[in-house]
Amino acid sequence: MSANLIFHNIDEPGLNTLEVFQRRGGYGDRLKKALQMPREALVEELKASGLRGRGGAGFSMGMKASFMPKGAMDKYLVCNADESEPGTFKDRELMQKIPHLLIEGMIIGAYAAGANQSFIFIRGEYAQQADILEAAIDEAKAAGLIGKNILGSGFDLQMWVHRGAGAYICGEETALLDALEGKRGNPRLKPPFPANQGLYQGPTLINNVETLATTPFIVEMGGAEYAKIGVQNSTGTKLISISGHVQRPGNYEIELGMKSRDIIYGLAGGPGEGRSVKLWFPGGSSSPVLTGDDLDLSYDFDTLAKAGTMLGSGAIIVADDTTSVVDVALKTAEFYKHESCGKCTPCREGTTWTVKMLQRIKSGEATPMDLDIIASVCERIIGNCLCVLGDAMAMPVGSMVKKFRGEFEEYIEARREESERALLASVGAVA
């Protein structure tokens, strides 16, 4: 089966409008089918599809929807469109070119969860995409697709777009909820989990843009049929963003289970002539790095996990053999240090110490012992923070120190020698 579901003819002119989207079947039989199903049956279809969250965590969407409590209280569906992971830009294209697919997916997701209010929390920098989404929501409201008694089903749903203030931490679901409530975006202690006590203390289902945009196809095809795409435990298609040292960077839709080499070299063209892959992040900058020896790995959740990394958001960042691993490690650590909310000590202090030690390496002041300290700091961060932001720095930096230790040591020695020569030259000049 073709890998193109979400991105099928994505560049068709006017696809962001209700007219063109409906002409292609949007808000049609599949939405009616979903709204006519008992909620429990729809949740079972989502479970049967094997759809795992496309935002990074990879948790079963159907299972997450089933956690929502029953009852007459207000319930919320929140779409996490705070796409701030470096190297990730797939949701931006989806929202810009086919916003009604996300809206249709949110209607289906909200119905499955029993939610009557929904929000799209969009990254503050995505001003154009937020404008497009708001226009699409207005079209859907005018057509009776959002609001009271959608398609005569008796199901009511309100929907709003909320623009974030540009903080990476708001991609973490509980920090997102605080920001949505008008507070500073800080992670919350869990439990309670959002399904029990989320937005405004009410039951809340939070899903990524791509996850929700996939649900119309699951309803249309049936969960079991959708599960035939991809590989076991990693079903369906996946949007991936490829950047860095490749000749054809961009967004692609693939079937999960495709060979990583076929993605990096086949789809994206690989590094330039005469160059080779030195390291690559398989799931955004927070994923532990792999090397050129790992290109034959299947690109799916379980295979990458067994290789000591993760599929994450589906953002592949490639660095060729001209790249200094020290520079990559420092840039990665600096980003997460800057974005740390500072609420918990392991993240606040650990990211700061890691940056300082990598700067010591750059300045020629370090010894190989500093590498042991960096590795130790990274180990102590992982699993000990309020959220995974600290882990997001520790995992890739720790993996670089482990896999490229020889290069780090050579860099330390070379910079030390340069510093000594500079010192001797300055002493000689003074004499």
Side-chain angles (χ1 to χ4, degrees):
M1 179 178 288
S2 169
N4 285 323
L5 291 177
I6 296 174
F7 272 7
H8 177 65
N9 289 339
I10 190 73
D11 291 313
E12 180 178 346
L15 186 54
N16 62 303
T17 65
L18 179 64
E19 178 188 356
V20 176
F21 183 67
Q22 285 186 311
R23 192 173 69 226
R24 285 182 32 162
Y27 299 123
D29 292 340
R30 62 194 182 195
L31 181 57
K32 292 176 184 176
K33 176 184 174 182
L35 296 180
Q36 289 169 0
M37 297 172 69
R39 285 195 172 91
E40 295 77 9
L42 179 55
V43 170
E44 288 305 314
E45 284 294 321
L46 294 173
K47 287 182 181 178
S49 73
L51 178 65
R52 298 174 64 171
R54 301 314 201 213
F59 191 78
S60 164
M61 183 200 178
M63 190 68 69
K64 187 186 277 192
S66 73
F67 294 156
M68 292 286 282
K70 295 178 174 60
M73 75 287 281
D74 279 340
K75 298 175 194 172
Y76 304 93
L77 170 70
V78 177
C79 172
N80 186 345
D82 191 73
E83 188 176 48
S84 303
E85 177 77 3
T88 313
F89 42 89
K90 60 184 178 66
D91 293 344
R92 177 179 63 181
E93 184 171 5
L94 193 160
M95 291 184 288
Q96 181 172 324
K97 294 182 177 178
I98 187 167
H100 284 286
L101 180 62
L102 171 59
I103 295 169
E104 183 179 13
M106 288 186 67
I107 297 169
I108 294 170
Y111 178 72
N116 61 321
Q117 300 187 48
S118 60
F119 296 85
I120 301 172
F121 186 98
I122 189 167
R123 180 181 178 185
E125 293 87 345
Y126 283 2
Q128 179 187 9
Q129 290 73 23
D131 290 343
I132 291 170
L133 278 170
E134 287 177 341
I137 288 173
D138 288 343
E139 282 187 305
K141 285 180 178 177
L145 296 164
I146 298 174
K148 297 284 186 180
N149 193 26
I150 298 172
L151 296 179
S153 65
F155 175 59
D156 303 337
L157 180 68
Q158 298 301 322
M159 189 177 298
W160 298 270
V161 173
H162 182 99
R163 304 183 190 220
Y168 174 88
I169 189 62
C170 290
E172 194 279 330
E173 60 180 19
T174 61
L176 182 154
L177 294 176
D178 267 14
L180 195 51
E181 293 176 357
K183 305 169 188 172
R184 187 176 190 269
N186 277 345
R188 299 177 181 178
L189 285 170
K190 292 186 286 188
F193 293 95
N196 294 316
Q197 193 173 318
L199 185 64
Y200 307 126
Q201 306 303 308
T204 305
L205 175 65
I206 305 173
N207 282 124
N208 168 261
V209 172
E210 182 189 346
T211 310
L212 290 163
T214 303
T215 58
F217 301 105
I218 293 172
V219 172
E220 184 176 16
M221 301 167 64
E225 192 65 26
Y226 181 85
K228 293 178 182 178
I229 307 172
V231 295
Q232 186 175 10
N233 212 32
S234 294
T235 62
T237 68
K238 179 77 184 75
L239 302 183
I240 55 172
S241 305
I242 311 180
S243 60
H245 293 142
V246 291
Q247 299 179 64
R248 292 188 294 274
N251 288 319
Y252 298 88
E253 185 172 8
I254 66 163
E255 285 193 31
L256 285 166
M258 188 175 183
K259 283 283 186 287
S260 300
R261 184 183 300 276
D262 294 336
I263 298 172
I264 294 173
Y265 279 91
L267 294 177
E273 186 176 352
R275 304 266 63 93
S276 61
V277 174
K278 179 175 185 175
L279 63 87
W280 53 289
F281 298 81
S285 65
S286 61
S287 58
V289 300
L290 297 173
T291 70
D293 296 331
D294 301 311
L295 289 170
D296 291 316
L297 289 173
S298 169
Y299 195 78
D300 65 76
F301 288 99
D302 290 350
T303 300
L304 292 175
K306 288 176 184 175
T309 184
M310 59 187 186
L311 189 144
S313 63
I316 298 175
I317 308 170
V318 179
D320 69 18
D321 53 359
T322 64
T323 307
S324 165
V325 70
V326 178
D327 289 340
V328 177
L330 178 58
K331 188 173 288 291
T332 303
E334 284 177 334
F335 172 79
Y336 290 104
K337 171 186 175 292
H338 178 267
E339 293 296 338
S340 173
C341 74
K343 188 172 182 179
C344 67
T345 303
C347 178
R348 181 184 66 247
E349 298 300 324
T351 54
T352 300
W353 297 342
T354 303
V355 167
K356 286 181 178 179
M357 284 182 285
L358 289 168
Q359 288 172 337
R360 277 169 52 82
I361 293 173
K362 287 286 290 183
S363 64
E365 301 173 78
T367 69
M369 186 181 294
D370 286 88
L371 298 176
D372 296 326
I373 297 172
I374 292 173
S376 176
V377 168
C378 290
E379 287 174 7
R380 283 163 170 74
I381 290 173
I382 294 173
N384 293 312
C385 302
L386 275 173
C387 75
V388 294
L389 191 146
D391 300 46
M393 185 284 300
M395 291 190 296
V397 172
S399 69
M400 283 182 251
V401 171
K402 180 179 179 181
K403 295 186 177 185
F404 295 93
R405 183 171 182 118
E407 182 176 333
F408 273 96
E409 291 176 344
E410 289 173 8
Y411 190 99
I412 289 170
E413 182 63 22
R415 293 294 291 130
R416 186 187 64 76
E417 290 177 357
E418 286 177 19
S419 297
E420 286 180 355
R421 285 196 297 269
L423 178 61
L424 289 173
S426 65
V427 170
V430 171

